[in-house]
Amino acid sequence: MTYTPFFIHGEDRRSRWLITCDHATNTVPPDICGGDLGLAREDMERHIAYDVGAYEVSRLLGEMLEAPVIAANFSRLVIDPNRGEDDPTLLMKLYDGSIIPGNRHADAAERERRLNMCYRPYHNALAQLASPPGVVLVSMHSFTRQLRGREPRPWHVGVLHTADRRFSDPLIARLQAERDLCVGVNQPYTGVLPGDAIDTHCTAFGRPNALIELRNDLIGDHAGQHAWAERLVPILQGALVDSGL
């Protein structure tokens, strides 16, 4: 089977929404270390390799919102599509206590090879999907409840935002109105990361956007993924109305 660095679902869907999933899979392309970064299987199934459950939620959101979906088909440990090309964490050699053997000796030439094989094709395709006027981009991610040696994280969902809060503020307000949710605002990570996917495809063009982080134990199976997609659809639609965009 020929390797492809990204998947697109519903390319011809015509709503204003565009759903992206930067860390959709834990795939290591066959031309990268023979398809194996040298990590144990249990590490490749952890959050360090991909955003558990986020791809499935993204696909469901795309169906429910009549929106195209683009998802990267390479592990964040191969090269991270949600980092700028000059970011020092673009190609990780140690992540949450795990050494990445296949990255230990990766030099500038290997970094460039992975950029050309995986990262740049994904971003080129994303740029095309984001180009129609009026697009509202929603970037779907997930996070682990607890990093090694750290306190458990309290949030069920987080919204990361930049200085452009036209859409994220009403989205946060809608989520906070849900009484059973603990909502993180620029938690568990900051939304301001120069060169990341939002910066590249939204901030630079003035496109409204939000990055949503779901706690991965809540979307670890189909029931949780479907429940969260169904829950997010009216919240997203209501936030867009509230924003006046």
Side-chain angles (χ1 to χ4, degrees):
M1 181 179 291
T2 303
Y3 170 72
T4 179
F6 58 87
F7 301 117
I8 296 176
H9 304 280
E11 187 171 4
D12 296 329
R13 295 171 185 159
R14 287 292 177 255
S15 76
R16 293 182 62 189
W17 303 99
L18 171 61
I19 311 299
T20 68
C21 191
D22 298 327
H23 301 143
T25 77
N26 58 1
T27 300
V28 180
D31 288 342
I32 304 293
C33 303
D36 187 347
L37 292 174
L39 280 169
R41 180 181 180 86
E42 54 266 29
D43 268 338
M44 289 302 295
E45 296 295 334
R46 292 206 299 133
H47 70 100
I48 66 170
Y50 74 122
D51 281 356
V52 176
Y55 185 21
E56 292 75 12
V57 175
S58 298
R59 288 190 292 186
L60 289 164
L61 281 175
E63 292 172 6
M64 295 175 188
L65 289 167
E66 283 295 311
V69 178
I70 182 167
N73 183 32
F74 50 94
S75 171
R76 68 196 306 165
L77 298 179
V78 171
I79 198 155
D80 194 331
N82 196 34
R83 297 293 185 271
E85 290 196 15
D86 59 352
D87 192 301
T89 64
L90 179 70
L91 201 162
M92 295 289 281
K93 300 187 179 185
L94 174 69
Y95 196 166
D96 193 24
S98 293
I99 295 171
I100 320 303
N103 292 349
R104 182 178 297 169
H105 303 296
D107 57 12
E110 176 62 11
R111 175 181 167 279
E112 186 69 13
R113 190 171 78 93
R114 295 187 192 188
L115 283 168
N116 287 327
M117 182 185 300
C118 301
Y119 181 106
R120 289 171 181 151
Y122 170 68
H123 280 286
N124 290 340
L126 199 166
Q128 293 234 334
L129 289 172
S131 63
V135 163
V136 180
L137 189 149
V138 176
S139 181
M140 295 303 303
H141 292 254
S142 72
F143 65 96
T144 185
R145 184 171 190 176
Q146 187 172 16
L147 295 168
R148 288 177 173 173
R150 306 283 186 88
E151 292 297 314
R153 291 158 157 173
W155 311 285
H156 300 103
V157 56
V159 177
L160 311 191
H161 65 78
T162 62
D164 181 358
R165 300 172 65 163
R166 293 173 295 166
F167 179 61
S168 58
D169 274 358
L171 175 58
I172 291 164
R174 289 262 175 173
L175 287 166
Q176 289 177 334
E178 304 278 307
R179 293 182 177 273
D180 61 326
L181 293 182
C182 180
V183 180
V185 178
N186 271 354
Q187 295 286 359
Y189 312 106
T190 177
V192 182
L193 188 61
D196 71 0
I198 292 293
D199 189 42
T200 299
H201 298 287
C202 296
T203 305
F205 298 94
R207 293 183 182 119
N209 65 87
L211 190 154
I212 298 176
E213 292 269 4
L214 297 174
R215 206 176 73 202
N216 65 19
D217 62 313
L218 303 177
I219 53 170
D221 58 23
H222 181 73
Q225 293 151 12
H226 200 277
W228 266 99
E230 282 196 321
R231 186 171 195 173
L232 285 173
V233 165
I235 291 172
L236 288 166
Q237 290 171 327
L240 185 57
V241 171
D242 295 345
S243 74
L245 291 164

